[in-house]
Amino acid sequence: MPLRESFLCVLLSFLCVVLSVICFSVIRKHVDEEDSEISKQWAVSGGSILAAVMAIAALCYSTRKPTKDFEKLQQDLNSLKGENERLRKENEYLKKQNENFKEYSRGLENKIKVLQEDLKELRRNTNACVYALDKEWIKMTDAHVNVTPDPDTASPSLTVSEDGSLVRFTGERAQEWPSVLGREGFTSGRHYWQVEVGVKGNWILGVSTHPHEKSIPEKPEEGYWLMRLVKGKTCTAVSQSGDQILQLEKGCQVWGVCLDYEGGRLSFYNAETRFHIYTLEGPFPGQVYPIFSPGSHDKGPLIINVKVKNV
């Protein structure tokens, strides 16, 4: 202990002083009794002993530890050791919490993926009218393309405006479904476009693999994926897989059409409410073209490439 060492140092210094006094007395006695030669020897020896004693006392004094400073340093060291141990335990706890969070996050991501796949499967199997969430809607509308009708592919009974934004029935009713194709066909990727049908009672929207036909057959076979409205009441999804009559709760005036070529899917949405209406399945054999028919019962136009809004 520091206190004990200080006491021993003081005691040793005291003993050195006593020894020095004794040595000095012995030397003086010999100096008085012996001859001068012996006295010199004793004087030298005594001086050496006295120097050694004084050196020991000085060394002992110089190596004394400052008790209070040492205790303060010891307390600081113990405090640092305690703080280091606390930080070590806290670090271990945080590492464990981080691992638990990562594991929970991975589990949550897996659950989200499973739910997304289940939702896709539900839509595929039921074609339920499901609201498109923000992320899904933005991803789809980011694939927006400006579809321009090609007048060279239009039926003689149709008129395409100069800017390609309007398709209107203006001729004689020689065909039930006169049509026009978009200028560009698609062989890959995702593409989205919008068409305003307004309150028209007859129209057809979709895609076709027939670049030279200027009208749509009453009963399309291979190469057509269509949505058809008749007399403002009967809405039918048409493809080579068969026709599916849809029950729409209310009329849709702006339709969104989304082509996922690699996925083999053509989906239709109410572009004003984001509700998914129906999806037709591919796959698509080769190049497909957007196709439009305003019908042949009224002069109301189809308005193509309506400005996309993130409703």
Side-chain angles (χ1 to χ4, degrees), residues 90-212:
E90 184 174 343
N91 185 53
E92 290 180 354
Y93 172 78
L94 291 175
K95 284 183 178 179
K96 186 176 181 180
Q97 289 294 100
N98 187 48
E99 290 298 323
N100 291 340
F101 177 77
K102 286 182 178 179
E103 184 176 352
Y104 175 78
S105 180
R106 286 192 292 267
L108 189 61
E109 288 177 357
N110 291 334
K111 289 181 180 179
I112 291 174
K113 289 180 180 179
V114 170
L115 289 174
Q116 288 176 338
E117 291 300 320
D118 289 345
L119 180 60
K120 289 180 181 179
E121 186 67 20
L122 176 64
R123 290 183 180 183
R124 185 178 294 110
N125 293 337
T126 65
N127 267 294
C129 193
V130 181
Y131 181 79
L133 300 177
D134 287 346
K135 184 177 180 180
E136 180 182 357
W137 183 257
I138 291 173
K139 180 180 179 181
M140 183 171 62
T141 55
D142 280 347
H144 177 260
V145 292
N146 290 319
V147 175
T148 304
D150 183 0
D152 293 338
T153 66
S155 166
S157 61
L158 298 182
T159 298
V160 178
S161 64
E162 291 185 4
D163 62 1
S165 63
L166 300 177
V167 176
R168 189 191 306 268
F169 174 74
T170 55
E172 298 295 329
R173 190 186 169 206
Q175 302 163 325
E176 184 71 19
W177 298 107
S179 63
V180 61
L181 300 176
R183 288 184 182 276
E184 296 184 7
F186 304 115
T187 57
S188 63
R190 291 170 60 92
H191 309 277
Y192 176 83
W193 60 94
Q194 289 184 174
V195 181
E196 182 176 347
V197 299
V199 294
K200 283 180 59 61
N202 298 272
W203 50 259
I204 289 179
L205 307 175
V207 297
S208 168
T209 60
H210 303 281
H212 304 297

Side-chain angles (χ1 to χ4, degrees), residues 17-308:
V17 172
V18 173
L19 183 58
S20 298
V21 173
I22 294 172
C23 289
F24 181 77
S25 299
V26 171
I27 293 169
R28 184 171 183 180
K29 181 179 180 181
H30 279 282
V31 169
D32 293 337
E33 295 178 355
E34 302 294 336
D35 58 19
S36 59
E37 185 64 30
I38 294 175
S39 298
K40 290 179 180 179
Q41 293 178 1
W42 275 102
V44 173
S45 300
S48 299
I49 293 172
L50 181 59
V53 169
M54 296 302 293
I56 292 173
L59 179 63
C60 181
Y61 179 81
S62 65
T63 56
R64 285 189 309 165
K65 296 182 179 179
T67 303
K68 292 184 178 180
D69 290 345
F70 181 82
E71 289 179 349
K72 179 65 167 58
L73 289 174
Q74 189 67 35
Q75 290 175 358
D76 291 344
L77 179 61
N78 292 336
S79 177
L80 288 174
K81 286 181 179 180
E83 182 68 12
N84 183 63
E85 180 65 17
R86 185 187 68 80
L87 291 175
R88 185 187 64 80
K89 291 181 179 180
E90 184 174 343
N91 185 53
E92 290 180 354
Y93 172 78
L94 291 175
K95 284 183 178 179
K96 186 176 181 180
Q97 289 294 100
N98 187 48
E99 290 298 323
N100 291 340
F101 177 77
K102 286 182 178 179
E103 184 176 352
Y104 175 78
S105 180
R106 286 192 292 267
L108 189 61
E109 288 177 357
N110 291 334
K111 289 181 180 179
I112 291 174
K113 289 180 180 179
V114 170
L115 289 174
Q116 288 176 338
E117 291 300 320
D118 289 345
L119 180 60
K120 289 180 181 179
E121 186 67 20
L122 176 64
R123 290 183 180 183
R124 185 178 294 110
N125 293 337
T126 65
N127 267 294
C129 193
V130 181
Y131 181 79
L133 300 177
D134 287 346
K135 184 177 180 180
E136 180 182 357
W137 183 257
I138 291 173
K139 180 180 179 181
M140 183 171 62
T141 55
D142 280 347
H144 177 260
V145 292
N146 290 319
V147 175
T148 304
D150 183 0
D152 293 338
T153 66
S155 166
S157 61
L158 298 182
T159 298
V160 178
S161 64
E162 291 185 4
D163 62 1
S165 63
L166 300 177
V167 176
R168 189 191 306 268
F169 174 74
T170 55
E172 298 295 329
R173 190 186 169 206
Q175 302 163 325
E176 184 71 19
W177 298 107
S179 63
V180 61
L181 300 176
R183 288 184 182 276
E184 296 184 7
F186 304 115
T187 57
S188 63
R190 291 170 60 92
H191 309 277
Y192 176 83
W193 60 94
Q194 289 184 174
V195 181
E196 182 176 347
V197 299
V199 294
K200 283 180 59 61
N202 298 272
W203 50 259
I204 289 179
L205 307 175
V207 297
S208 168
T209 60
H210 303 281
H212 304 297
E213 294 187 9
K214 297 187 177 183
S215 64
I216 301 172
E218 183 64 28
K219 293 184 178 180
E221 296 182 356
E222 294 185 0
Y224 290 97
W225 293 265
L226 309 170
M227 186 65 65
R228 180 176 63 198
L229 182 68
V230 177
K231 297 181 180 180
K233 297 179 180 180
T234 305
C235 190
T236 307
V238 180
S239 71
Q240 62 191 42
S241 300
D243 297 354
Q244 178 67 47
I245 297 176
L246 308 179
Q247 300 297 327
L248 301 182
E249 294 183 359
K250 63 178 182 178
C252 174
Q253 295 190 9
V254 182
W255 286 70
V257 185
C258 183
L259 171 67
D260 180 0
Y261 190 94
E262 283 81 7
R265 297 163 64 82
L266 183 69
S267 300
F268 296 88
Y269 291 83
N270 183 329
E272 296 179 304
T273 64
R274 294 192 191 179
F275 276 100
H276 167 254
I277 297 174
Y278 199 82
T279 293
L280 293 166
E281 301 285 346
F284 304 111
Q287 194 168 32
V288 295
Y289 297 85
I291 191 169
F292 311 92
S293 175
S296 56
H297 293 269
D298 61 67
K299 306 293 184 179
L302 294 178
I303 304 174
I304 302 170
N305 289 324
V306 178
K307 185 177 180 180
V308 175

